[in-house]
């Protein structure tokens, strides 16, 4: 399988933070070759350290041997940063141009493992940062005109998905954004935990996906189809069910995720029990534990939002928990029948993959002495279709009257 690589990199702005001390982080939108998009945060010293290591990895392309051979763009050292407002704007413009030029380098550089690992999303990027009660962070965004001027020479403009707000949302932390019913926002990042990063006019922030709807109709088609085989996850935080269709779980329990939904509430299965559970409190089994350092709360569910006003007549169709349980039992029954068949005959267990693929319907194979007629005997017998007279004989009087009425016009016309 081919490794994914960064296909687009754009500077969205920078944020001035005051905890644990005053510093700046840059907001970068990273688009990958597998069509995923992630918002990451990096400090300028981190970016400059990456730049120096990239030059060391490619001494010819960085001009260390011959200056005329240099194709890796230059980047000023961080000691010149933040001396004045003019220097901040200059650095922001320089970094935006650097991002575009790095991605436009030859594939052996732009797709190298070092570059991909640096721009890969980190745990602190994936979840909104914990609230800081000391001082409010300040966010500065790159103007659209400036971003378009930088990107126009290298790549096409970015088109973001537009969604509509269905109910008033009041932010509870500085990283969220206050929006009102009917506002149209552009989605910068769709996070699996149900918190989406959006842009409204000149403001940006996080909002629950349950408060949003696409303009062209209900977005149930964007949800992944149920997978009753299940994907094992481990709970990293306990949750007590608040609704009848939710499930209560303690820390460290292993569950199977059978349906991943966009609003961050996934359907999980624990034994015979199924229910909605916040994906924010789940970590994939076998992977490094995903932490929730800020004690972030799961987003509200659509069913709990008051005064929701949709512009679409047809609402999203959600499966009931009884449907999930019934389909889960059916899956296990089918799986059990498939597994028991090879165990009956040791010869069948040693079949080649090609023979197994041809015999997916569990049709018994013919031996050398059996004939084709013996195989047909095992097939179920289809009963003959009853005659019209027999059908009318077993129908009610009301049905017979209706049949006679339909027959009389046809007979008169003939």
């Amino acid at each position: 399988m081919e490794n994914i690589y960064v296909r687009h990199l754009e500077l969205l702005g920078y944020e001035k933070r005051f905890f644990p001390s005053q510093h700046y982080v840059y907001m970068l939108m990273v688009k990958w070759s597998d069509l995923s998009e992630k918002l990451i945060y990096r400090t300028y010293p981190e970016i400059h350290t990456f730049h120096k290591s990239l030059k060391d990895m490619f001494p010819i392309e960085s001009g260390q041997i011959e200056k005329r051979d240099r194709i890796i763009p230059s980047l000023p050292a961080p000691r010149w940063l933040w001396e004045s407002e003019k220097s901040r704007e200059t650095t922001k413009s320089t970094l935006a141009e650097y991002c575009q030029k790095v991605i436009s380098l030859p594939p052996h550089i732009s797709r190298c493992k070092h570059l991909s690992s640096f721009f890969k999303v980190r745990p602190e990027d994936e979840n909104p940062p914990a609230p800081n009660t000391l001082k409010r962070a300040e966010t500065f965004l790159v103007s659209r005109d400036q971003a378009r001027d930088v990107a126009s020479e290298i790549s096409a403009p970015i088109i973001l998905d537009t969604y509509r707000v269905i109910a008033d949302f009041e932010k509870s932390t500085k990283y969220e954004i206050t929006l009102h019913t009917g506002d149209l926002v552009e989605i910068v990042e769709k996070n699996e935990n149900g918190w989406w990063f959006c842009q409204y006019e000149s403001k940006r922030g996080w909002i629950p996906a349950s408060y949003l709807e696409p303009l062209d109709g209900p977005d149930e088609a964007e949800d992944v189809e149920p997978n009753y085989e299940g994907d094992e996850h481990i709970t990293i935080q306990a949750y007590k069910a608040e609704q009848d269709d939710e499930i209560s779980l303690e820390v460290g329990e292993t569950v199977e995720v059978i349906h991943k939904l966009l609003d961050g509430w996934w359907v999980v299965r624990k034994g015979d029990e199924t229910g909605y559970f916040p994906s924010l409190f789940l970590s994939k089994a076998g992977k490094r534990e995903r932490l929730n350092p800020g004690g972030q709360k799961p987003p509200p569910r659509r069913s709990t939002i008051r005064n929701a006003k949709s512009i679409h007549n047809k609402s999203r169709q959600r499966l009931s928990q009884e449907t999930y349980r019934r389909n889960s039992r059916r899956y296990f029954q089918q799986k059990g029948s498939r597994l028991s068949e090879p165990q009956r005959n040791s010869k069948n267990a040693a079949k080649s993959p090609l023979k197994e693929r041809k015999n997916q319907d569990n049709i018994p194979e013919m031996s050398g002495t059996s004939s084709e007629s013996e195989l047909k005997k095992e097939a179920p017998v289809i009963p003959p279709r009853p005659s019209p007279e027999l059908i009318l004989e077993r129908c009610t009087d009301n049905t017979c009257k209706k049949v006679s009425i339909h027959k009389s016009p046809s007979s008169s016309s003939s």
Side-chain angles (χ1 to χ4, degrees), residues 315-410:
S315 60
R316 297 184 60 177
Q317 298 295 326
R318 287 290 180 94
L319 299 177
S320 65
Q321 291 303 316
E322 179 58 33
T323 303
Y324 286 120
R325 285 190 288 270
R326 185 171 60 250
N327 290 337
S328 293
R329 288 194 296 267
R330 184 180 302 160
Y331 166 77
F332 283 125
Q333 290 171 358
Q334 293 175 351
K335 183 180 179 181
S337 63
R338 288 195 300 267
L339 292 176
S340 61
E341 185 67 23
Q343 294 175 357
R344 294 176 185 175
N345 192 343
S346 59
K347 293 181 180 180
N348 293 339
K351 288 179 183 177
S352 66
L354 180 60
K355 287 186 177 180
E356 288 183 357
R357 200 181 316 151
K358 290 181 179 179
N359 196 23
Q360 287 180 347
D361 297 328
N362 291 330
I363 299 175
E365 293 185 359
M366 293 182 294
S367 62
T369 58
S370 61
S371 61
E372 188 176 352
S373 59
E374 292 176 350
L375 179 61
K376 290 182 179 179
K377 289 180 182 179
E378 297 186 6
V381 179
I382 301 174
R385 180 179 178 85
S387 62
E389 292 79 9
L390 182 60
I391 294 175
L392 288 174
E393 196 177 73
R394 296 181 180 179
C395 289
T396 61
D397 295 338
N398 192 19
T399 305
C400 291
K401 288 178 182 179
K402 289 182 179 180
V403 173
S404 61
I405 291 173
H406 287 296
K407 281 187 174 182
S408 56
S410 61

Side-chain angles (χ1 to χ4, degrees), residues 14-18 22-25 136-140:
Y14 63 91
E15 200 171 74
K16 184 178 180 181
R17 297 180 179 176
F18 302 92
Q22 178 175 317
H23 64 286
Y24 295 85
V25 292
R136 181 186 179 88
E138 302 173 5
T139 302
F140 305 86

Side-chain angles (χ1 to χ4, degrees), residues 4-6 9 28-32 34 36-42 113-128 189-193 206 287-288 290:
I4 63 171
Y5 57 87
V6 179
L9 184 64
L28 300 169
M29 170 55 65
V30 185
K31 294 192 175 185
W32 297 85
D34 62 351
S36 61
E37 301 177 8
K38 287 295 181 181
L39 178 67
I40 65 172
Y41 298 86
R42 298 291 184 270
K113 189 175 182 180
H114 177 61
L115 187 144
S116 298
S117 60
F118 177 75
F119 291 107
K120 188 177 181 180
V121 66
R122 299 171 180 172
E124 57 267 28
D125 300 324
E126 191 173 10
N127 295 317
E189 179 186 352
K190 296 180 179 180
N191 202 314
E192 277 192 341
N193 61 23
W206 297 91
K287 287 192 175 182
R288 186 177 180 181
R290 185 180 63 183

